[in-house]
Amino acid sequence: MAQVQDIEIRDSAGRVAKAVDDLPDIQGDRMVLNMGPSHPATHGVLRIVLELDGETITKADPDVGYLHRGDEKIAENMTYTQFIPYTDRLDYLSPLANNVAYALAVEKALGIHDKLPPRCQYIRVMCCELARISSHLLGLGAFAMDVGAVTVFLLVFTEREKIYNLAEAASGARLTTTYTRIGGLMRDIPPTWCDQVRQFIKEFTVALAEVEVLLTRNRIWVDRLRDLGHISKEMAIDYALSGPNLRGSGIEWDLRKKQPYLCYKDLEFDIPVGSVGDCYDRYLVRMEEMRQSMRILEQCVNKIPGGAANEIKEPVNIADGKVTLPSKEKVLSSMEELIHQFMIVTEGVNVPPGEVYFGHENPKGELGFYINSQGGGVPYRLKIRAPSFVNLSILGELMPGAMISDVPVILGSLDFVMGESDR
């Protein structure tokens, strides 16, 4: 039998000190993890290059561009009206609002943005607020499902279907509406549309309260969101954030109030703001924004010029034959009107030389269109300020220090759509 020898460990204190000094090497190198571009939590084709120290994120680099379609270049090769369907496909959760934003930019270039008929303005505002509710609902539903609240996802989708029914009644399409036109609208709303909006407000008020019962005081939901993804006021301004992500940090900035357009100056509504700037604040801001949108909708259906059925025939397009198409009756009975329609359709509206920028308060933030015109019916240059693209730039600041399981929560609280980010 072999004799067991005693092993003497000398200078044990020195060995322990050396082990502490070499601890980073013992743990090994930090791991780089590719999250996306095909991942359910990224809500689209977003790739995030994560550098991890165990479960803790030390660095995050958002990599966008996988969905790029060249919308801005396409705009340089078609008339202003022909580009409207492409705006549907920016933030495809709020096409009605995208249409209005683009039309207002072109109308500003034409100098007719302050000549829109009052009925047209009210209908456009209702479209924008319905789009805001629809966008927030899907963002909230996907956000909640990422955290584990599947019931909320089912509830909000039921309400979104009602908004799609309203969009279909007004435009004939549910998703890609293309309802707005330069100088007005595709057509007037149906006589019963305002009553349908009233019914939606009544039902949605109950559904929103039910969602709040499920989430707002839910201990799991609060623990997952609170004190995570904190954005200070200074950071929000430095990264040019807009929309609920900016207001969640306590900055009261809303283009509908600060730079009013359409009939927003005649409507009463509040701007909800957060106090901390974490994920939970951004959730609360969007919940309150939906209530304010319902408040705006209720005022619009009660005050719309001409009434719901428009029996006095209030116009929804400006009375400018160089911008809007003539009526079918005139086209079919007058050669001059037929030629006029042909010129507008083939050559587009004649935008004078110059450059304009218009910012619109979209559900995701400020959707801006910069138009550089050298005259004629086609823009020389069109640049889109996509709020999702700008808001994603702050990921590198928010992610470090969080855990891998926190990534879906931070992404969901920012509420972005890659369709407009990769425009």
Side-chain angles (χ1 to χ4, degrees):
M1 185 172 180
Q3 184 178 359
V4 178
Q5 296 181 350
D6 292 334
I7 301 176
E8 182 181 358
I9 301 177
R10 298 182 179 181
D11 197 15
S12 58
R15 288 176 179 267
V16 172
K18 187 177 187 302
V20 171
D21 292 338
D22 294 342
L23 188 58
D25 294 331
I26 294 173
Q27 288 182 337
D29 295 332
R30 290 173 177 170
M31 181 175 66
V32 175
L33 177 69
N34 279 292
M35 185 174 179
S38 297
H39 192 285
T42 56
H43 301 182
V45 282
L46 168 67
R47 173 178 175 239
I48 308 175
V49 183
L50 298 173
E51 185 181 281
L52 304 174
D53 184 1
E55 286 286 318
T56 304
I57 299 170
T58 57
K59 185 179 179 183
D61 184 18
D63 186 11
V64 302
Y66 289 88
L67 197 64
H68 185 61
R69 296 161 293 169
D71 282 353
E72 295 173 349
K73 192 64 181 178
I74 290 172
E76 299 173 14
N77 296 283
M78 52 178 52
T79 66
Y80 291 97
T81 300
Q82 288 173 338
F83 188 68
I84 294 176
Y86 285 84
T87 64
D88 291 330
R89 292 153 176 85
L90 293 172
D91 176 5
Y92 39 77
L93 307 182
S94 54
L96 287 167
N98 301 340
N99 295 164
V100 172
Y102 171 70
L104 285 169
V106 179
E107 288 156 4
K108 184 177 180 180
L110 287 165
I112 60 171
H113 56 289
D114 56 349
K115 300 177 183 178
L116 293 170
R119 184 175 179 85
C120 169
Q121 295 185 38
Y122 273 81
I123 295 174
R124 283 188 178 186
V125 166
M126 286 192 283
C127 288
C128 289
E129 297 311 315
L130 286 170
R132 191 179 316 279
I133 294 174
S134 175
S135 178
H136 284 351
L137 283 178
L138 182 57
L140 174 62
F143 186 14
M145 189 168 61
D146 288 342
V147 181
V150 181
T151 305
V152 174
F153 184 81
L154 302 176
L155 276 173
V156 299
F157 254 70
T158 301
E159 299 307 310
R160 288 186 78 246
E161 281 300 308
K162 299 172 185 176
I163 296 177
Y164 279 162
N165 291 338
L166 291 168
E168 185 178 19
S171 68
R174 296 175 68 82
L175 184 64
T176 50
T177 53
T178 317
Y179 181 53
T180 309
R181 293 290 184 273
I182 310 301
L185 303 167
M186 174 206 297
R187 60 188 180 193
D188 200 355
I189 53 177
T192 60
W193 200 76
C194 287
D195 292 333
Q196 295 174 35
V197 173
R198 286 193 183 95
Q199 183 63 25
F200 166 73
I201 294 172
K202 183 179 178 180
E203 296 174 1
F204 182 56
T205 302
V206 177
L208 191 61
E210 188 173 355
V211 170
E212 188 163 39
V213 169
L214 288 170
L215 290 181
T216 304
R217 296 290 176 247
N218 185 304
R219 178 48 52 195
I220 300 173
W221 178 258
V222 173
D223 287 346
R224 289 296 304 275
L225 271 64
R226 185 165 286 175
D227 298 326
L228 179 66
H230 176 261
I231 303 175
S232 65
K233 289 183 179 181
E234 295 76 18
M235 191 188 303
I237 294 172
D238 288 345
Y239 279 87
L241 300 188
S242 57
N245 295 323
L246 176 69
R247 294 188 284 273
S249 296
I251 300 175
E252 188 178 338
W253 180 262
D254 190 313
L255 294 173
R256 297 172 295 173
K257 285 275 193 182
K258 302 300 182 181
Q259 299 173 7
Y261 50 90
L262 297 177
C263 62
Y264 278 113
K265 61 182 180 298
D266 302 324
L267 303 172
E268 294 182 2
F269 62 97
D270 299 321
I271 304 174
V273 295
S275 57
V276 179
D278 58 5
C279 294
Y280 190 66
D281 260 1
R282 293 191 281 277
Y283 154 74
L284 292 176
V285 165
R286 290 187 177 92
M287 291 291 286
E288 183 58 30
E289 280 194 3
M290 287 190 279
R291 292 192 187 88
Q292 296 301 321
S293 291
M294 285 193 290
R295 186 178 169 192
I296 293 172
L297 285 170
E298 197 162 11
Q299 293 176 68
C300 286
V301 296
N302 292 331
K303 297 169 63 175
I304 184 170
N310 196 17
E311 295 176 353
I312 61 175
K313 303 299 181 184
E314 281 280 334
V316 294
N317 291 296
I318 67 168
D320 187 343
K322 295 182 179 180
V323 176
T324 58
L325 294 173
S327 65
K328 281 295 180 184
E329 293 180 2
K330 294 181 179 179
V331 171
L332 295 174
S333 59
S334 170
M335 177 58 69
E336 289 78 11
E337 298 292 348
L338 177 62
I339 295 173
H340 200 174
Q341 174 178 278
F342 178 80
M343 296 293 288
I344 292 178
V345 171
T346 57
E347 296 184 6
V349 295
N350 185 19
V351 175
E355 52 186 358
V356 298
Y357 174 83
F358 178 79
H360 184 268
E361 191 63 47
N362 247 40
K364 302 288 189 290
E366 180 180 344
L367 174 64
F369 288 92
Y370 162 80
I371 298 174
N372 187 321
S373 172
Q374 294 190 352
V378 177
Y380 175 74
R381 180 77 175 91
L382 187 141
K383 178 74 174 70
I384 304 171
R385 187 218 186 262
S388 291
F389 176 78
V390 179
N391 292 343
L392 279 174
S393 64
I394 202 170
L395 281 182
E397 291 277 357
L398 296 187
M399 294 285 189
M403 309 289 283
I404 295 180
S405 58
D406 294 329
V407 173
V409 181
I410 295 174
L411 293 178
S413 74
L414 293 177
D415 189 21
F416 56 90
V417 165
M418 296 309 297
E420 69 176 6
S421 176
D422 295 347
R423 68 213 174 279

